[in-house]
Amino acid sequence: MAMARSFDLGRFLRREESKGLALIAPPFVYALLLLAAPLAAIVLFSFWTQDFMTINRTFTLDNYREALSDPLYMELLSRSLRISLAVTAITVLLAFPVAYFVSFHVAPERKSLWLFLITIPFWTSYLIRVFLWRVILAYDGPVNGTLLGLGLIEEPLAWILYSANSVVITLAHAYAPFAILPIFVSLEKIDRALHEAGRDLGESRVMVFLRVTLPLAMPGVLAAVLIVFIPTIGDYVTPRLVGGSDGTMIANMIQTQFMRLNNAPMGATLSVLAMLMVGIVSLVMIVLTMRWTGGGKSK
Amino acid sequence: MKGQGLKAYVILYLVFLYAPILLLPMFAFNSGTVIAFPLQGFTTGWFVEVFTTKALIEATRNSVFIAVSVAILSTCFGLFAARAATRYNFPAKGGILGFVMLPLVLPEIIVAVSLLVVLIQAGLSTGIWSVIAGHVLICTPFSIAILQGSFANMDKSLEEAAVDLGETPLSTFRLVTLPLVAPGIIASLLICFTISLDEFIIAFFLSGNEPTLPVYIWGLLRFPARVPVIMALGTLLVALSIILLITAEYFRRRGLRRAGKRDVGGFL
């Protein structure tokens, strides 16, 4: 009896399971073929070498040795890391007050209008937006014009275009909604009664923010950090259009290796190194945040 | 007092966000050929040139074809995955779904070069179809995210009632499920269409000699004399995407009303 019942239950579960698996199969197989296989190919390529058009398939670590000892590659990797860390910090710091404003100071029925207002500029052509930053930051552009007109500077600032600075400004603009939205979502989840409780217990506004709001918003802040940090390291367009030679990043070198120098294995090696760097830094950020918020709980 | 300071900051921030697209129409209607201040006279000539440049029309046709195909394919994948995620339990569910969503957090250049390497090794040529393949990969996660919301909002008992009343699973899906998630499907189609239309890196690596619109624009940016035409084109694209977005938002809200839920925020 019991055997028969558990057998039926097992069959029922398998039916349920196989239905789910059958449904998920098409997108999953697609991702296996077009994502897992190509990524595996990139890793494989990084252990090969290329001489003009022929690829030498003997396993070697030469590419990694060369990449890690060449000052140019190392500079590009570390600069990409520096730039995207700066972009992440600036974007998230600038975005937090905006998300806070929309969540705490805007009437509930007008919140989606505000979010809509924030996202509209980002549905315009990415290329054209980046190009327009080149116009805005130009030597004779509106930023320098305004500052000159206000008498704040004597002569146009040259360092704001074709440098790492312009890359940071442009990317901080490009990724703004990706930072605002997750922070907003986590702020929305905070129980408003906690604030009143904090205030009633005699904490100042600032202390309530530091001890209640900020720790509870951390998951959203972490999500924002990762969503901005991961793709910016691989950005190609912004460094090309506004970066000049000081703002070139690793994606530009990867493109050069694949398309110009015909050195796919070195391009693959640099891609793997960039992915490793992104992965490690992201993991460190996740662990640090978990420890910080976890530490707050145990106190 | 504090609230006022915060509001002033938010308004400044909105100026920062809108700065580029406010400049766009200014230069699109400016008769000077140099993209710099001060502005010269008023002209609509650049818009005329947009509609008479053959290569541009060709690139637009490629892009629209790609974007429509990508929207349909990604939304189909999105439907499968979102349905599986909200309705069924199966082994390694988290892992499989996480893997399908992975392109969302992978630098696009990595997706682009890895696909390029495989295509070259397989001896296949690049072109419109390979751009479609790449874009479906990056659009599917967005589609899943949108449709998961629709499926999760749906009352499960409606489907059960239909089955109890003698409908087959297929007709239940067609008559009950599909109409209820239709607004989500339309929103997903529009979002995927917009993402594909604007995507540059994957198209840059995989379009071969069939350029998409962003790839064509990228080529033009090197010729200063052609830049005003890009500004006119950009203005048209902004107008188009705002119309598309408002339509998508309209359908999303209608969907929420149909499912009897309160509106809690926008996209993403």
Side-chain angles (χ1 to χ4, degrees):
Chain A
M1 247 307 260
M3 279 266 300
R5 257 177 66 190
S6 69
F7 173 75
D8 279 350
L9 189 68
R11 220 176 70 167
F12 172 74
L13 279 179
R14 267 201 299 282
R15 225 173 68 99
E16 186 84 340
E17 281 180 356
S18 56
K19 260 191 183 170
L21 282 173
L23 270 173
I24 197 72
F28 182 56
V29 170
Y30 189 81
L32 275 181
L33 287 175
L34 276 94
L35 187 66
L39 286 180
I42 282 282
V43 175
L44 208 57
F45 255 76
S46 68
F47 295 113
W48 291 345
T49 46
Q50 184 164 5
D51 199 17
F52 294 107
M53 291 316 271
T54 52
I55 287 183
N56 180 351
R57 294 193 176 161
T58 28
F59 180 91
T60 168
L61 287 170
D62 282 357
N63 292 319
Y64 287 95
R65 231 168 269 138
E66 193 189 330
L68 294 174
S69 60
D70 188 317
L72 175 64
Y73 297 150
M74 288 318 282
E75 165 61 18
L76 286 175
L77 278 168
S78 70
R79 184 192 291 156
S80 302
L81 183 62
R82 283 200 308 275
I83 288 182
S84 51
L85 284 175
V87 170
T88 309
I90 291 174
T91 312
V92 173
L93 284 177
L94 289 178
F96 193 93
V98 178
Y100 184 84
F101 175 80
V102 178
S103 180
F104 284 81
H105 291 266
V106 172
E109 66 274 12
R110 305 196 60 182
K111 278 178 184 171
S112 46
L113 179 73
W114 269 88
L115 291 181
F116 199 47
L117 212 61
I118 287 165
T119 35
I120 280 181
F122 301 95
W123 292 99
T124 65
S125 166
Y126 177 59
L127 285 179
I128 295 178
R129 255 188 293 142
V130 175
F131 178 82
L132 284 165
W133 276 104
R134 187 155 97 180
V135 177
I136 294 171
L137 298 173
Y139 195 73
D140 50 1
V143 168
N144 274 322
T146 314
L147 291 176
L148 275 175
L150 291 172
L152 289 171
I153 50 171
E154 297 286 305
E155 55 185 272
L157 305 169
W159 53 262
I160 57 169
L161 187 59
Y162 299 128
S163 63
N165 299 312
S166 48
V167 177
V168 172
I169 295 173
T170 309
L171 287 175
H173 179 267
Y175 284 90
F178 298 101
I180 295 174
L181 292 173
I183 299 175
F184 170 78
V185 169
S186 69
L187 287 174
E188 281 292 281
K189 285 187 189 146
I190 298 177
D191 188 348
R192 304 295 138 120
L194 288 173
H195 285 99
E196 285 163 32
R199 297 280 290 155
D200 288 348
L201 292 169
E203 293 277 28
S204 71
R205 233 177 242 274
V206 178
M207 286 311 285
V208 170
F209 176 79
L210 287 178
R211 296 182 62 172
V212 179
T213 318
L214 200 56
L216 287 174
M218 270 328 269
V221 173
L222 179 66
V225 164
L226 294 177
I227 287 176
V228 176
F229 173 73
I230 296 170
T232 44
I233 274 211
D235 196 86
Y236 172 82
V237 173
T238 306
R240 244 337 259 292
L241 282 181
V242 302
S245 59
D246 289 339
T248 311
M249 287 164 64
I250 193 67
N252 307 89
M253 182 49 86
I254 293 174
Q255 192 264 346
T256 309
Q257 294 289 349
F258 274 103
M259 311 289 257
R260 301 265 170 79
L261 300 178
N262 246 325
N263 192 349
M266 184 47 90
T269 307
L270 294 175
S271 307
V272 172
L273 287 175
M275 276 193 284
L276 279 177
M277 195 164 72
V278 170
I280 292 168
V281 176
S282 306
L283 271 180
V284 169
M285 286 178 188
I286 293 171
V287 168
L288 283 181
T289 316
M290 292 213 315
R291 220 181 248 173
W292 188 65
T293 45
K297 246 180 242 159
S298 65
K299 238 184 259 172
Chain B
M1 199 355 242
K2 190 180 164 269
Q4 289 302 309
L6 190 60
K7 191 164 192 179
Y9 168 78
V10 172
I11 288 168
L12 261 177
Y13 192 84
L14 281 180
V15 172
F16 168 65
L17 290 189
Y18 276 83
I21 60 164
L22 290 181
L23 286 181
L24 199 52
M26 280 191 212
F27 291 117
F29 289 107
N30 177 28
S31 62
T33 49
V34 185
I35 302 296
F37 289 101
L39 298 173
Q40 311 288 310
F42 178 87
T43 177
T44 51
W46 307 122
F47 287 91
V48 176
E49 218 171 302
V50 167
F51 291 104
T52 50
T53 309
K54 229 180 133 198
L56 197 159
I57 292 166
E58 191 58 39
T60 310
R61 197 174 296 150
N62 290 343
S63 267
V64 170
F65 177 74
I66 291 170
V68 169
S69 319
V70 169
I72 295 170
L73 289 170
S74 306
T75 304
C76 287
F77 281 152
L79 273 171
F80 282 127
R83 175 88 178 158
T86 48
R87 209 51 201 281
Y88 299 100
N89 277 316
F90 47 89
K93 186 177 175 182
I96 292 176
L97 281 171
F99 178 65
V100 176
M101 299 297 271
L102 185 65
L104 216 51
V105 291
L106 215 56
E108 267 177 23
I109 187 139
I110 307 275
V111 177
V113 294
S114 59
L115 280 172
L116 181 70
V117 162
V118 170
L119 285 178
I120 291 175
Q121 284 306 300
L124 298 165
S125 65
T126 52
I128 286 177
W129 76 269
S130 55
V131 180
I132 295 177
H135 282 183
V136 169
L137 197 63
I138 59 160
C139 288
T140 302
F142 286 95
S143 174
I144 296 175
I146 294 167
L147 289 169
Q148 237 175 339
S150 312
F151 276 115
N153 282 341
M154 196 178 68
D155 193 346
K156 203 176 165 180
S157 56
L158 291 173
E159 280 181 339
E160 288 164 358
V163 176
D164 287 347
L165 292 169
E167 293 289 346
T168 64
L170 203 67
S171 62
T172 305
F173 186 77
R174 191 171 59 83
L175 293 169
V176 178
T177 319
L178 218 48
L180 282 171
V181 293
I185 294 176
I186 293 171
S188 157
L189 287 171
L190 291 172
I191 295 284
C192 294
F193 179 86
T194 316
I195 293 172
S196 168
L197 199 66
D198 189 39
E199 200 288 330
F200 169 68
I201 287 290
I202 290 174
F204 183 48
F205 278 84
L206 299 180
S207 60
N209 53 9
E210 296 171 310
T212 65
L213 197 54
V215 175
Y216 177 75
I217 292 174
W218 178 255
L220 279 195
L221 286 176
R222 275 178 298 161
F223 304 104
R226 307 282 294 152
V227 169
V229 183
I230 301 175
M231 297 294 127
L233 178 68
T235 310
L236 292 173
L237 289 176
V238 171
L240 184 76
S241 35
I242 290 177
I243 292 169
L244 277 181
L245 266 179
I246 291 174
T247 319
E249 178 69 14
Y250 169 78
F251 278 109
R252 196 187 62 84
R253 287 192 186 185
R254 212 171 81 170
L256 282 176
R257 271 205 305 279
R258 257 192 221 178
K261 299 274 166 166
R262 263 194 72 242
D263 190 8
V264 282
F267 289 116
L268 298 167

